[in-house]
Coordinates of all heavy atoms in Angstrom, one line a residue:
D244 N 178.8 344.1 184.5 CA 179.5 344.0 185.7 C 180.4 342.7 185.7 O 179.7 341.6 185.6 CB 178.7 344.1 186.9 CG 179.3 345.0 188.0 OD1 180.2 345.8 187.7 OD2 178.9 344.9 189.1
G245 N 181.7 342.8 185.9 CA 182.5 341.6 185.9 C 182.4 340.9 187.2 O 181.8 341.3 188.2
Q246 N 183.1 339.8 187.4 CA 183.1 339.0 188.7 C 183.8 339.8 189.8 O 183.3 339.7 191.0 CB 183.7 337.7 188.4 CG 183.0 336.8 187.5 CD 183.8 335.5 187.3 OE1 185.0 335.3 187.7 NE2 183.1 334.4 186.9
D247 N 184.7 340.7 189.4 CA 185.5 341.3 190.4 C 184.9 342.7 190.8 O 185.4 343.5 191.6 CB 187.0 341.5 190.0 CG 187.7 340.1 189.8 OD1 187.2 339.2 190.5 OD2 188.6 340.1 189.1
G248 N 183.8 343.0 190.2 CA 183.2 344.3 190.3 C 183.7 345.3 189.3 O 183.3 346.5 189.5
F249 N 184.5 344.9 188.4 CA 185.0 345.9 187.4 C 184.2 345.7 186.1 O 184.0 344.5 185.7 CB 186.5 345.7 187.1 CG 187.4 346.0 188.3 CD1 187.9 345.0 189.1 CD2 187.6 347.2 188.6 CE1 188.7 345.2 190.2 CE2 188.4 347.6 189.8 CZ 188.9 346.5 190.5
E250 N 183.9 346.8 185.4 CA 183.2 346.6 184.1 C 184.3 346.4 183.1 O 185.4 347.0 183.1 CB 182.4 347.9 183.9 CG 181.2 348.1 184.6 CD 180.4 349.3 184.3 OE1 180.4 349.6 183.1 OE2 179.8 349.8 185.2
Q251 N 184.0 345.5 182.1 CA 184.9 345.4 181.0 C 184.3 345.8 179.7 O 183.2 345.4 179.5 CB 185.3 343.9 180.9 CG 186.1 343.3 182.1 CD 186.5 342.0 181.9 OE1 186.0 341.2 181.1 NE2 187.4 341.5 182.8
D252 N 184.9 346.6 179.0 CA 184.5 347.1 177.7 C 185.3 346.4 176.7 O 186.4 346.7 176.4 CB 184.6 348.7 177.6 CG 184.0 349.2 176.4 OD1 183.3 348.4 175.7 OD2 184.2 350.3 176.0
T253 N 184.7 345.4 176.0 CA 185.5 344.6 175.2 C 185.7 345.3 173.8 O 186.6 345.0 173.1 CB 184.7 343.2 174.7 OG1 183.4 343.5 174.3 CG2 184.6 342.4 176.1
A254 N 184.9 346.3 173.4 CA 185.1 347.0 172.2 C 186.4 347.8 172.3 O 187.1 347.9 171.2 CB 183.9 347.9 171.9
S255 N 186.7 348.5 173.4 CA 187.8 349.3 173.5 C 189.1 348.6 173.9 O 190.2 349.2 173.9 CB 187.6 350.6 174.3 OG 187.5 350.1 175.7
A256 N 189.0 347.4 174.4 CA 190.2 346.6 174.9 C 190.8 345.8 173.7 O 190.6 344.6 173.5 CB 189.7 345.6 176.0
S257 N 191.6 346.6 172.9 CA 192.2 345.9 171.8 C 193.6 345.4 172.3 O 194.2 346.0 173.3 CB 192.4 346.9 170.6 OG 193.2 347.9 171.1
K258 N 194.1 344.4 171.6 CA 195.3 343.8 172.0 C 196.5 344.4 171.2 O 196.3 344.7 170.0 CB 195.4 342.3 171.8 CG 194.3 341.6 172.7 CD 194.5 340.1 172.6 CE 193.5 339.5 173.4 NZ 193.6 338.0 173.3
V259 N 197.6 344.6 171.9 CA 198.8 345.1 171.2 C 199.7 343.9 170.9 O 200.0 343.0 171.7 CB 199.7 346.0 172.1 CG1 201.0 346.5 171.3 CG2 198.8 347.3 172.3
H260 N 200.1 343.7 169.6 CA 200.9 342.5 169.2 C 202.3 342.9 168.9 O 202.5 343.9 168.1 CB 200.3 341.9 167.9 CG 199.0 341.3 168.1 ND1 198.8 340.1 168.7 CD2 197.6 341.8 167.8 CE1 197.5 339.8 168.8 NE2 196.8 340.8 168.2
I261 N 203.3 342.3 169.6 CA 204.7 342.5 169.2 C 205.2 341.3 168.6 O 205.2 340.1 169.3 CB 205.4 342.8 170.5 CG1 204.9 344.0 171.2 CG2 206.9 343.0 170.2 CD1 205.4 344.4 172.5
R262 N 205.7 341.4 167.3 CA 206.2 340.2 166.6 C 207.6 340.4 166.1 O 208.0 341.5 165.9 CB 205.3 340.0 165.5 CG 203.8 339.6 165.8 CD 203.2 339.1 164.5 NE 201.8 338.7 164.9 CZ 200.7 339.6 164.8 NH1 200.9 340.8 164.4 NH2 199.5 339.1 165.1
V263 N 208.3 339.3 165.9 CA 209.6 339.3 165.2 C 209.5 338.7 163.8 O 209.0 337.5 163.8 CB 210.7 338.7 166.1 CG1 211.9 338.6 165.3 CG2 210.9 339.5 167.3
Q264 N 209.9 339.4 162.7 CA 209.8 338.7 161.5 C 211.3 338.5 161.0 O 212.1 339.4 161.1 CB 209.2 339.7 160.5 CG 207.8 339.9 160.7 CD 207.1 340.9 159.8 OE1 207.8 341.5 159.0 NE2 205.8 341.1 159.8
Q265 N 211.6 337.3 160.6 CA 212.9 336.9 160.2 C 213.1 337.5 158.9 O 212.3 337.3 158.0 CB 213.0 335.4 160.3 CG 214.4 334.9 160.1 CD 215.3 335.2 161.3 OE1 214.8 335.2 162.5 NE2 216.6 335.4 161.1
R266 N 214.3 338.0 158.6 CA 214.7 338.5 157.3 C 215.8 337.5 156.8 O 215.7 336.4 157.1 CB 215.3 340.0 157.4 CG 214.2 341.0 157.5 CD 214.8 342.5 157.6 NE 215.8 342.6 156.5 CZ 216.9 343.3 156.7 NH1 217.1 343.9 157.8 NH2 217.7 343.5 155.6
N267 N 216.8 338.1 156.1 CA 217.8 337.2 155.6 C 218.9 337.0 156.6 O 219.4 337.9 157.3 CB 218.4 337.7 154.3 CG 218.7 339.2 154.3 OD1 218.5 339.7 155.3 ND2 219.4 339.7 153.4
G268 N 219.3 335.7 156.7 CA 220.4 335.4 157.7 C 219.9 335.6 159.2 O 218.9 335.2 159.6
R269 N 220.8 336.3 159.9 CA 220.4 336.6 161.3 C 219.7 337.9 161.5 O 219.3 338.2 162.6 CB 221.8 336.7 162.1 CG 222.5 335.4 162.2 CD 223.9 335.5 162.8 NE 223.9 336.4 164.0 CZ 224.9 337.0 164.6 NH1 226.0 336.9 163.9 NH2 224.7 337.6 165.6
K270 N 219.3 338.6 160.4 CA 218.6 339.8 160.6 C 217.1 339.6 160.9 O 216.5 338.6 160.3 CB 218.8 340.6 159.2 CG 220.1 340.8 158.8 CD 220.9 341.8 159.6 CE 222.3 342.0 159.0 NZ 223.0 343.0 159.8
C271 N 216.5 340.5 161.7 CA 215.1 340.3 161.9 C 214.5 341.8 162.2 O 215.3 342.8 162.5 CB 214.9 339.4 163.1 SG 215.7 339.9 164.6
I272 N 213.3 341.8 162.1 CA 212.5 343.1 162.3 C 211.5 342.9 163.5 O 210.7 341.8 163.4 CB 211.8 343.6 161.1 CG1 212.9 343.9 159.9 CG2 210.9 344.8 161.3 CD1 212.2 344.1 158.6
T273 N 211.3 343.8 164.4 CA 210.3 343.7 165.4 C 209.1 344.6 165.0 O 209.4 345.8 164.6 CB 210.9 344.2 166.7 OG1 211.9 343.3 167.1 CG2 209.7 344.1 167.8
T274 N 207.9 344.1 164.9 CA 206.7 344.9 164.6 C 205.8 345.1 165.7 O 205.6 344.2 166.5 CB 206.0 344.3 163.4 OG1 205.5 343.0 163.8 CG2 206.9 344.2 162.2
V275 N 205.2 346.2 166.0 CA 204.2 346.5 167.0 C 203.0 347.0 166.3 O 203.0 348.1 165.6 CB 204.8 347.6 167.9 CG1 203.8 347.8 169.1 CG2 206.2 347.3 168.5
Q276 N 202.0 346.3 166.6 CA 200.6 346.6 166.0 C 199.5 346.6 166.9 O 199.6 345.9 168.1 CB 200.4 345.7 164.8 CG 199.1 345.0 164.8 CD 199.0 344.0 163.7 OE1 200.0 343.5 163.2 NE2 197.9 343.4 163.6
G277 N 198.5 347.4 166.8 CA 197.4 347.4 167.7 C 197.4 348.5 168.7 O 196.6 348.5 169.6
L278 N 198.3 349.5 168.5 CA 198.2 350.6 169.4 C 197.0 351.5 169.1 O 196.6 351.6 167.9 CB 199.6 351.5 169.3 CG 200.8 350.7 169.8 CD1 202.0 351.5 169.3 CD2 200.8 350.4 171.2
D279 N 196.6 352.3 170.1 CA 195.4 353.1 170.0 C 195.8 354.2 169.0 O 196.9 354.6 168.9 CB 195.1 353.8 171.3 CG 194.4 352.7 172.3 OD1 193.9 351.7 171.7 OD2 194.4 353.0 173.5
D280 N 194.7 354.7 168.3 CA 194.9 355.7 167.3 C 195.2 357.2 167.9 O 195.8 358.0 167.3 CB 193.6 355.9 166.6 CG 193.3 354.7 165.7 OD1 194.2 354.0 165.4 OD2 192.1 354.5 165.3
D281 N 194.9 357.3 169.2 CA 195.1 358.6 169.8 C 196.5 358.8 170.3 O 196.9 359.8 170.7 CB 194.1 358.8 171.0 CG 194.3 357.8 172.1 OD1 194.8 356.8 171.9 OD2 193.8 358.1 173.2
L282 N 197.4 357.7 170.2 CA 198.8 357.8 170.7 C 199.6 358.5 169.5 O 199.3 358.2 168.4 CB 199.3 356.5 170.9 CG 198.7 355.8 172.1 CD1 199.3 354.3 172.3 CD2 199.0 356.4 173.4
D283 N 200.6 359.2 169.9 CA 201.5 359.8 168.8 C 202.6 358.8 168.6 O 203.6 358.7 169.3 CB 202.1 361.1 169.5 CG 202.9 361.8 168.4 OD1 202.9 361.5 167.3 OD2 203.4 363.0 168.8
L284 N 202.5 358.0 167.4 CA 203.4 356.9 167.1 C 204.7 357.6 166.9 O 205.7 356.8 167.1 CB 202.8 356.1 166.0 CG 201.5 355.3 166.3 CD1 201.1 354.5 165.0 CD2 201.7 354.5 167.5
K285 N 204.8 358.7 166.2 CA 206.0 359.3 165.8 C 206.9 359.5 167.1 O 208.1 359.3 167.1 CB 205.9 360.6 165.0 CG 205.5 360.4 163.7 CD 205.5 361.7 162.9 CE 205.0 361.5 161.4 NZ 205.1 362.8 160.7
R286 N 206.4 360.0 168.1 CA 207.1 360.3 169.4 C 207.5 359.0 170.0 O 208.5 358.9 170.6 CB 206.2 361.2 170.3 CG 206.1 362.5 169.9 CD 205.3 363.4 170.8 NE 206.1 363.6 172.0 CZ 205.5 364.2 173.2 NH1 204.4 364.6 173.2 NH2 206.4 364.3 174.2
I287 N 206.6 358.0 170.0 CA 206.9 356.7 170.6 C 208.1 356.1 169.8 O 209.0 355.6 170.5 CB 205.7 355.7 170.5 CG1 204.6 356.3 171.5 CG2 206.1 354.3 170.9 CD1 203.3 355.6 171.4
L288 N 208.1 356.1 168.5 CA 209.1 355.5 167.7 C 210.4 356.3 167.9 O 211.5 355.7 168.1 CB 208.8 355.5 166.2 CG 209.8 355.0 165.3 CD1 210.1 353.7 165.5 CD2 209.3 355.2 163.8
K289 N 210.4 357.6 168.1 CA 211.6 358.4 168.3 C 212.2 358.0 169.6 O 213.5 357.8 169.7 CB 211.2 359.9 168.3 CG 212.4 360.8 168.3 CD 212.0 362.2 168.1 CE 213.2 363.1 168.2 NZ 212.9 364.5 168.1
A290 N 211.4 357.7 170.7 CA 212.0 357.4 172.0 C 212.5 356.0 172.0 O 213.6 355.8 172.5 CB 210.8 357.6 173.0
I291 N 212.0 355.0 171.2 CA 212.5 353.7 171.1 C 213.8 353.7 170.4 O 214.8 353.1 170.8 CB 211.5 352.8 170.4 CG1 210.2 352.6 171.3 CG2 212.0 351.5 170.0 CD1 209.1 351.8 170.6
K292 N 213.8 354.5 169.3 CA 215.1 354.6 168.5 C 216.2 355.1 169.3 O 217.4 354.6 169.3 CB 214.8 355.4 167.3 CG 214.0 354.7 166.2 CD 213.5 355.6 165.1 CE 214.5 356.3 164.4 NZ 213.9 357.0 163.2
K293 N 215.9 356.2 170.2 CA 216.9 356.8 170.9 C 217.4 356.0 172.1 O 218.6 355.8 172.3 CB 216.4 358.2 171.3 CG 217.4 359.0 172.0 CD 217.0 360.5 172.2 CE 218.1 361.3 172.7 NZ 218.1 362.7 172.2
R294 N 216.5 355.3 172.7 CA 216.7 354.6 173.9 C 217.5 353.3 173.6 O 218.4 352.9 174.3 CB 215.4 354.2 174.6 CG 215.6 353.2 175.7 CD 215.5 353.9 177.0 NE 215.4 352.8 178.0 CZ 216.0 352.8 179.2 NH1 216.8 353.9 179.4 NH2 215.9 351.8 180.0
Y295 N 217.1 352.6 172.5 CA 217.7 351.2 172.2 C 218.7 351.2 171.0 O 219.0 350.2 170.5 CB 216.6 350.2 172.0 CG 215.7 350.1 173.2 CD1 214.3 350.6 173.2 CD2 216.2 349.7 174.5 CE1 213.6 350.4 174.4 CE2 215.4 349.6 175.6 CZ 214.1 349.9 175.5 OH 213.4 349.9 176.7
N296 N 219.0 352.4 170.5 CA 219.9 352.5 169.4 C 219.7 351.7 168.2 O 220.5 350.8 167.9 CB 221.4 352.2 170.0 CG 221.9 353.2 171.1 OD1 221.6 354.3 171.0 ND2 222.5 352.6 172.0
C297 N 218.5 351.9 167.7 CA 218.1 351.1 166.5 C 217.3 352.0 165.6 O 216.9 353.0 166.1 CB 217.2 349.8 167.0 SG 215.8 350.3 167.8
N298 N 217.1 351.6 164.4 CA 216.4 352.3 163.4 C 215.0 351.7 163.4 O 214.7 350.6 163.8 CB 217.1 352.3 162.1 CG 216.6 353.5 161.2 OD1 215.8 354.3 161.6 ND2 217.1 353.5 160.0
G299 N 214.0 352.6 162.8 CA 212.6 352.1 162.7 C 211.9 353.0 161.8 O 212.3 354.1 161.5
N300 N 210.6 352.6 161.5 CA 209.7 353.4 160.8 C 208.3 353.1 161.1 O 208.0 352.1 161.9 CB 210.0 353.3 159.3 CG 209.8 352.0 158.8 OD1 209.2 351.1 159.4 ND2 210.3 351.7 157.5
I301 N 207.4 353.8 160.5 CA 205.9 353.6 160.7 C 205.3 353.1 159.4 O 205.5 353.9 158.5 CB 205.2 354.8 161.2 CG1 205.8 355.1 162.6 CG2 203.7 354.5 161.3 CD1 205.2 356.4 163.2
K302 N 204.7 352.0 159.3 CA 204.1 351.5 158.0 C 202.6 351.7 158.1 O 202.0 351.4 159.1 CB 204.4 350.0 157.8 CG 205.8 349.7 157.4 CD 205.9 349.9 155.9 CE 207.2 349.3 155.5 NZ 207.5 349.5 154.1
K303 N 202.0 352.2 157.1 CA 200.6 352.2 157.0 C 200.0 351.0 156.2 O 200.3 351.0 155.0 CB 200.1 353.6 156.4 CG 200.5 354.7 157.3 CD 200.0 356.0 156.7 CE 200.4 357.2 157.6 NZ 200.1 358.5 157.0
V304 N 199.3 350.2 156.7 CA 198.7 349.0 156.1 C 197.2 349.1 156.2 O 196.6 349.6 157.2 CB 199.2 347.8 156.9 CG1 198.6 346.5 156.2 CG2 200.7 347.7 157.0
K305 N 196.5 348.8 155.1 CA 195.1 349.0 154.9 C 194.4 348.3 156.0 O 193.5 348.9 156.7 CB 194.6 348.4 153.6 CG 194.2 349.5 152.5 CD 193.5 348.9 151.4 CE 194.5 348.5 150.4 NZ 193.9 348.0 149.1
D306 N 194.7 347.0 156.2 CA 193.9 346.1 157.1 C 194.2 346.4 158.6 O 193.3 346.2 159.5 CB 194.1 344.7 156.8 CG 193.6 344.3 155.4 OD1 192.8 345.0 154.9 OD2 194.2 343.4 154.8
F307 N 195.5 346.7 158.9 CA 195.8 346.7 160.3 C 196.1 348.1 160.9 O 196.5 348.3 162.0 CB 197.1 346.0 160.5 CG 197.0 344.5 160.0 CD1 197.7 344.1 158.9 CD2 196.1 343.7 160.7 CE1 197.5 342.7 158.5 CE2 195.9 342.4 160.3 CZ 196.7 341.9 159.2
G308 N 196.0 349.2 160.0 CA 196.3 350.6 160.4 C 197.8 350.9 160.4 O 198.5 350.5 159.5
E309 N 198.3 351.6 161.4 CA 199.8 351.9 161.4 C 200.5 350.9 162.2 O 200.1 350.6 163.4 CB 199.8 353.3 161.9 CG 199.3 354.4 161.0 CD 199.6 355.8 161.4 OE1 199.6 356.0 162.7 OE2 199.7 356.7 160.6
I310 N 201.6 350.5 161.7 CA 202.4 349.5 162.4 C 203.8 350.1 162.6 O 204.4 350.7 161.7 CB 202.5 348.3 161.6 CG1 201.2 347.6 161.4 CG2 203.6 347.2 162.2 CD1 201.2 346.3 160.4
I311 N 204.4 349.9 163.8 CA 205.7 350.3 164.0 C 206.7 349.2 163.7 O 206.5 348.1 164.2 CB 205.9 350.8 165.5 CG1 205.1 352.1 165.8 CG2 207.4 351.1 165.9 CD1 205.2 352.6 167.3
Q312 N 207.7 349.5 162.9 CA 208.8 348.5 162.6 C 210.1 349.0 163.2 O 210.4 350.2 163.0 CB 208.9 348.3 161.1 CG 207.8 347.6 160.5 CD 208.1 347.3 159.0 OE1 208.9 348.1 158.4 NE2 207.5 346.3 158.5
V313 N 210.8 348.1 163.9 CA 212.1 348.5 164.5 C 213.1 347.4 164.1 O 212.8 346.2 164.1 CB 211.9 348.4 166.0 CG1 213.2 348.8 166.7 CG2 210.8 349.4 166.5
Q314 N 214.3 347.8 163.9 CA 215.4 346.8 163.5 C 215.8 346.1 164.8 O 215.9 346.5 165.8 CB 216.7 347.6 163.0 CG 216.5 348.1 161.6 CD 217.9 348.7 161.1 OE1 218.6 349.1 162.0 NE2 218.1 348.8 159.8
G315 N 216.1 344.8 164.4 CA 216.5 343.8 165.5 C 215.5 343.2 166.3 O 214.2 343.6 166.1
D316 N 215.9 342.4 167.2 CA 214.9 341.7 168.1 C 214.7 342.5 169.3 O 215.5 342.4 170.2 CB 215.3 340.3 168.5 CG 214.4 339.4 169.2 OD1 213.3 340.0 169.5 OD2 214.7 338.3 169.5
Q317 N 213.8 343.3 169.3 CA 213.5 344.3 170.4 C 212.3 344.0 171.3 O 211.7 344.8 171.9 CB 213.3 345.7 169.9 CG 214.5 346.2 168.9 CD 215.7 346.5 169.7 OE1 215.7 346.7 171.0 NE2 216.8 346.4 168.9
R318 N 211.9 342.7 171.3 CA 210.7 342.3 172.0 C 210.8 342.6 173.5 O 209.9 343.1 174.0 CB 210.4 340.8 171.8 CG 209.9 340.4 170.4 CD 209.7 338.9 170.3 NE 211.0 338.2 170.3 CZ 211.2 337.0 170.1 NH1 210.2 336.2 169.9 NH2 212.4 336.5 170.0
G319 N 211.9 342.2 174.0 CA 212.1 342.5 175.5 C 212.2 344.0 175.8 O 211.8 344.4 176.9
N320 N 212.7 344.7 175.0 CA 212.8 346.2 175.3 C 211.5 346.9 175.2 O 211.2 347.8 175.9 CB 213.9 346.8 174.3 CG 215.3 346.3 174.5 OD1 215.6 345.8 175.6 ND2 216.1 346.3 173.5
I321 N 210.7 346.5 174.2 CA 209.4 347.3 173.9 C 208.4 346.8 174.8 O 207.5 347.6 175.2 CB 209.0 347.0 172.4 CG1 210.0 347.7 171.4 CG2 207.7 347.5 172.1 CD1 209.8 347.4 170.0
K322 N 208.4 345.5 175.3 CA 207.5 345.0 176.2 C 207.3 345.9 177.4 O 206.3 346.3 177.8 CB 207.9 343.6 176.7 CG 206.8 342.8 177.1 CD 207.4 341.5 177.4 CE 206.4 340.3 177.4 NZ 206.9 339.1 177.8

């Protein structure tokens, strides 16, 4: 039991990381990692691409699972 009367399950409370990786020149890529496995990442990516007029893909990485990559600095939009 937490201090406020809410139970906290630390095992299922994973953090979602939104990062920007600099490419060449002014180009950059926004990556989103740490989303739950039960979410449909293809539908999420399709909605982001349509809403913010950018391209993107889903990368499968051994250590981190599936990562969404989106063109441009989309931190404010994805948040």
Side-chain angles (χ1 to χ4, degrees):
D244 222 14
Q246 292 177 346
D247 299 334
F249 296 105
E250 291 185 30
Q251 292 183 349
D252 187 12
T253 56
S255 67
S257 63
K258 293 185 179 180
V259 176
H260 295 280
I261 301 175
R262 296 188 179 95
V263 173
Q264 296 177 349
Q265 192 71 29
R266 285 185 42 221
N267 47 354
R269 293 174 45 202
K270 308 283 183 180
C271 57
I272 297 174
T273 304
T274 60
V275 182
Q276 129 188 9
L278 294 172
D279 287 337
D280 294 335
D281 60 340
L282 295 175
D283 190 2
L284 296 183
K285 285 186 179 182
R286 288 182 70 186
I287 293 171
L288 179 61
K289 186 174 180 180
I291 290 172
K292 287 165 59 172
K293 190 168 185 143
R294 169 103 173 141
Y295 300 115
N296 299 322
C297 60
N298 200 3
N300 63 13
I301 298 173
K302 287 276 190 181
K303 294 183 181 175
V304 182
K305 249 192 271 184
D306 299 333
F307 304 113
E309 292 184 333
I310 296 175
I311 295 178
Q312 287 186 335
V313 182
Q314 280 184 340
D316 187 359
Q317 304 292 337
R318 285 178 291 185
N320 296 333
I321 294 175
K322 207 175 200 184

